[in-house]
Amino acid sequence: MHTSKVSKRLASGKRLGPLAALLSLTGCAPAPSIVLFGAAFPDWLLCTGAGVAGMILLHVVSVRRKKTQWLQPAAVVYPCVTALIAMLTWLLVFPH
């Protein structure tokens, strides 16, 4: 009796295996991208560009106002602020 239960479970697993594999592929989707001037750019690339541009703007403003000491140590603060601006751009511009 015990052997027949095990064989039934294995037989049902053989039938459900391909179905489970098929259902696991349903989450696949094309990469998020934007068509700009006829070329597809990934979203992360545009967000990174916005982060770099935002950091450059922040640097120029801080130099003109003589507040560069607020952005010290520069080797730590500049990449972190660039990443922050890029992630905020992702959240605000690209609703997913």
Side-chain angles (χ1 to χ4, degrees), residues 19-75:
L19 179 63
L22 182 66
L23 290 176
S24 69
L25 296 176
T26 59
C28 299
S33 61
I34 295 176
V35 177
L36 189 65
F37 301 115
F41 289 93
D43 293 351
W44 64 266
L45 185 63
L46 297 174
C47 291
T48 303
V52 170
M55 189 61 234
I56 290 171
L57 179 67
L58 183 64
H59 173 75
V60 168
V61 169
S62 67
V63 167
R64 286 190 181 167
R65 294 190 178 188
K66 297 178 177 39
K67 302 290 185 187
T68 55
Q69 71 273 10
W70 289 0
L71 301 175
Q72 295 299 323

Side-chain angles (χ1 to χ4, degrees), residues 4-23:
S4 65
K5 287 182 181 180
V6 172
S7 63
K8 285 181 183 178
R9 286 184 187 167
L10 289 175
S12 66
K14 288 181 182 177
R15 284 184 270 150
L16 295 178
L19 179 63
L22 182 66
L23 290 176

Side-chain angles (χ1 to χ4, degrees), residues 32 34 41-55 81-96:
I34 295 176
F41 289 93
D43 293 351
W44 64 266
L45 185 63
L46 297 174
C47 291
T48 303
V52 170
M55 189 61 234
V81 172
T82 301
L84 177 68
I85 294 170
M87 290 178 214
L88 286 174
T89 302
W90 174 265
L91 287 173
L92 296 174
V93 177
F94 301 104
H96 292 285

